[in-house]
Amino acid sequence: MEFPQSVLFCCDHNAVRSPMAEAMMKKFYGQRAYVQSAGCKNDMDIDGFSVAVCAEIGVELARHRARSFEEMETLGEDLGQFDLIIALSSASQHAALDLTRMYHLAVEYWPIIDPTALGESREVKLSAYRQARDQIKARMIARFGPPLEG
């Protein structure tokens, strides 16, 4: 598969999985592709556990601001500008397919666990978020190849 020029990652709230994927893609592949993320809704701030587990692998996430598909369109970003949309939840996959049925672009579904409802203690929660992060990383490397050096 060719390396896309532009990628949009999406999930339910753009607060956990899709921001992790966006930040990792930027860190691993630099300017090789234009990368953004969005959610079906933007009713949450970036999740602190996501920030913490990304920091463990040198990926900065604290400045991320959640946004929705609707907000993207309101701000003038056309979903048709993306070569590839990668949905990380089933709800976002359905939304992406619905919103892009008039565009010629690919939508891939990567079923990544939702760590927000897993675990009660901090350590168990962190473990669930690490699992989601590592699933995204593995799928990304399988799809796009090894990260660029430096």
Side-chain angles (χ1 to χ4, degrees):
M1 287 184 258
E2 283 185 30
F3 199 96
Q5 291 183 356
S6 55
V7 179
L8 177 68
F9 289 99
C10 58
C11 66
D12 297 348
H13 301 277
N14 193 224
V16 179
R17 293 168 284 185
S18 58
M20 284 198 276
E22 175 189 355
M24 282 191 273
M25 181 90 176
K26 288 176 177 177
K27 172 84 174 178
F28 295 166
Y29 305 105
Q31 299 295 315
R32 200 160 168 207
Y34 174 73
V35 182
Q36 291 294 315
S37 66
C40 297
K41 304 174 194 170
N42 69 334
D43 56 351
M44 299 171 69
D45 290 328
I46 187 68
D47 187 286
F49 287 108
S50 293
V51 173
V53 299
C54 282
E56 292 173 351
I57 62 168
V59 173
E60 196 281 321
L61 201 57
R63 292 180 290 188
H64 176 78
R65 190 182 76 69
R67 63 190 190 147
S68 65
F69 289 123
E70 184 179 310
E71 186 177 355
M72 284 181 68
E73 290 177 338
T74 300
L75 296 173
E77 281 203 73
D78 182 2
L79 294 178
Q81 75 180 352
F82 293 96
D83 297 324
L84 174 62
I85 296 179
I86 299 175
L88 306 174
S89 70
S90 60
S92 65
Q93 177 195 25
H94 295 298
L97 289 170
D98 187 50
L99 291 167
T100 62
R101 64 182 180 271
M102 304 302 276
Y103 300 111
H104 179 71
L105 57 88
V107 176
E108 292 181 12
Y109 176 47
W110 296 359
I112 305 298
I113 66 159
D114 179 1
T116 59
L118 302 176
E120 298 203 13
S121 73
R122 178 174 170 73
E123 279 311 309
V124 173
K125 282 193 163 300
L126 281 170
S127 178
Y129 278 77
R130 287 181 188 116
Q131 183 181 356
R133 176 201 65 200
D134 294 346
Q135 285 179 346
I136 294 166
K137 182 179 177 181
R139 290 295 297 252
M140 192 172 288
I141 291 170
R143 172 65 170 84
F144 302 116
L148 301 173
E149 296 298 318

Short mmCIF file of all heavy atoms in Angstrom, two decimals, residues 7 14 30 37 47 60 67 74 81 89 102 108 115 133 137 139 142:
data_model
loop_
_atom_site.label_atom_id
_atom_site.label_comp_id
_atom_site.label_asym_id
_atom_site.label_seq_id
_atom_site.Cartn_x
_atom_site.Cartn_y
_atom_site.Cartn_z
N VAL A 7 -3.81 11.94 6.26
CA VAL A 7 -4.52 10.93 7.06
C VAL A 7 -5.35 11.63 8.14
O VAL A 7 -4.87 12.55 8.80
CB VAL A 7 -3.52 9.97 7.75
CG1 VAL A 7 -4.26 8.94 8.59
CG2 VAL A 7 -2.62 9.29 6.73
N ASN A 14 -12.54 12.10 20.26
CA ASN A 14 -11.27 12.74 19.94
C ASN A 14 -10.55 13.17 21.23
O ASN A 14 -9.97 14.24 21.32
CB ASN A 14 -11.48 13.95 19.01
CG ASN A 14 -10.19 14.46 18.40
OD1 ASN A 14 -9.97 15.66 18.35
ND2 ASN A 14 -9.33 13.58 17.94
N GLY A 30 7.02 12.13 10.78
CA GLY A 30 7.33 13.53 10.51
C GLY A 30 6.37 14.18 9.52
O GLY A 30 5.17 14.00 9.60
N SER A 37 -6.86 14.61 13.49
CA SER A 37 -7.78 13.68 14.13
C SER A 37 -9.08 14.40 14.47
O SER A 37 -9.11 15.63 14.59
CB SER A 37 -7.16 13.06 15.39
OG SER A 37 -6.95 14.04 16.39
N ASP A 47 -7.68 13.28 27.38
CA ASP A 47 -7.67 12.42 28.55
C ASP A 47 -6.27 12.38 29.16
O ASP A 47 -5.28 12.14 28.46
CB ASP A 47 -8.10 11.02 28.11
CG ASP A 47 -8.29 10.07 29.26
OD1 ASP A 47 -7.25 9.63 29.82
OD2 ASP A 47 -9.44 9.75 29.59
N GLU A 60 4.25 13.79 22.59
CA GLU A 60 3.59 14.88 23.31
C GLU A 60 2.13 14.98 22.89
O GLU A 60 1.80 14.98 21.72
CB GLU A 60 4.32 16.21 22.99
CG GLU A 60 3.98 17.33 23.95
CD GLU A 60 2.65 18.00 23.66
OE1 GLU A 60 2.29 18.19 22.49
OE2 GLU A 60 1.95 18.33 24.64
N ARG A 67 -11.82 17.86 18.72
CA ARG A 67 -12.74 18.45 17.75
C ARG A 67 -13.53 17.34 17.07
O ARG A 67 -13.11 16.19 17.03
CB ARG A 67 -12.01 19.31 16.74
CG ARG A 67 -11.04 18.55 15.88
CD ARG A 67 -10.18 19.51 15.09
NE ARG A 67 -9.43 18.76 14.11
CZ ARG A 67 -9.10 19.22 12.94
NH1 ARG A 67 -9.44 20.43 12.59
NH2 ARG A 67 -8.42 18.49 12.11
N THR A 74 -17.22 23.03 9.87
CA THR A 74 -17.54 24.42 10.19
C THR A 74 -16.32 25.32 10.01
O THR A 74 -16.43 26.45 9.55
CB THR A 74 -18.06 24.53 11.64
OG1 THR A 74 -19.23 23.72 11.77
CG2 THR A 74 -18.38 25.97 12.03
N GLN A 81 -10.32 16.24 1.49
CA GLN A 81 -8.90 16.55 1.31
C GLN A 81 -7.99 15.43 1.81
O GLN A 81 -6.80 15.42 1.52
CB GLN A 81 -8.54 17.85 2.04
CG GLN A 81 -8.44 17.68 3.56
CD GLN A 81 -8.09 18.95 4.29
OE1 GLN A 81 -7.75 19.96 3.67
NE2 GLN A 81 -8.16 18.93 5.59
N SER A 89 -12.83 3.33 16.19
CA SER A 89 -14.01 2.82 16.90
C SER A 89 -15.09 2.54 15.86
O SER A 89 -15.08 3.14 14.78
CB SER A 89 -14.51 3.85 17.92
OG SER A 89 -15.09 4.97 17.26
N MET A 102 -19.58 10.62 -0.66
CA MET A 102 -19.48 11.41 -1.88
C MET A 102 -18.03 11.66 -2.31
O MET A 102 -17.79 12.32 -3.30
CB MET A 102 -20.18 12.77 -1.68
CG MET A 102 -21.64 12.65 -1.26
SD MET A 102 -22.65 11.71 -2.42
CE MET A 102 -23.03 12.97 -3.58
N GLU A 108 -10.36 3.03 6.55
CA GLU A 108 -9.93 1.78 7.17
C GLU A 108 -10.45 1.75 8.60
O GLU A 108 -10.55 2.78 9.25
CB GLU A 108 -8.40 1.68 7.19
CG GLU A 108 -7.77 1.53 5.83
CD GLU A 108 -6.26 1.41 5.88
OE1 GLU A 108 -5.67 1.21 6.98
OE2 GLU A 108 -5.64 1.52 4.82
N PRO A 115 -10.08 2.19 26.34
CA PRO A 115 -9.57 1.95 27.69
C PRO A 115 -10.29 2.73 28.79
O PRO A 115 -10.06 2.48 29.97
CB PRO A 115 -8.11 2.40 27.59
CG PRO A 115 -8.15 3.51 26.58
CD PRO A 115 -9.18 3.07 25.57
N ARG A 133 -2.61 2.20 23.32
CA ARG A 133 -1.48 2.87 22.66
C ARG A 133 -0.66 1.88 21.85
O ARG A 133 -0.33 2.12 20.69
CB ARG A 133 -0.59 3.54 23.71
CG ARG A 133 0.68 4.18 23.16
CD ARG A 133 1.75 4.35 24.23
NE ARG A 133 2.22 3.06 24.72
CZ ARG A 133 2.85 2.89 25.88
NH1 ARG A 133 3.07 3.92 26.68
NH2 ARG A 133 3.26 1.69 26.24
N LYS A 137 0.08 1.66 17.85
CA LYS A 137 1.46 1.66 17.35
C LYS A 137 1.72 0.46 16.45
O LYS A 137 2.31 0.59 15.37
CB LYS A 137 2.43 1.67 18.54
CG LYS A 137 3.89 1.72 18.14
CD LYS A 137 4.79 1.76 19.36
CE LYS A 137 6.25 1.75 18.96
NZ LYS A 137 7.14 1.76 20.14
N ARG A 139 -0.47 -1.38 14.73
CA ARG A 139 -1.23 -1.24 13.48
C ARG A 139 -0.56 -0.21 12.57
O ARG A 139 -0.49 -0.39 11.35
CB ARG A 139 -2.67 -0.81 13.75
CG ARG A 139 -3.56 -1.85 14.40
CD ARG A 139 -3.83 -3.08 13.56
NE ARG A 139 -4.53 -2.85 12.34
CZ ARG A 139 -5.80 -3.20 12.12
NH1 ARG A 139 -6.50 -3.80 13.05
NH2 ARG A 139 -6.36 -2.97 10.95
N ALA A 142 2.60 -1.69 11.08
CA ALA A 142 2.22 -2.70 10.08
C ALA A 142 1.72 -2.04 8.80
O ALA A 142 1.99 -2.52 7.70
CB ALA A 142 1.15 -3.63 10.66
#
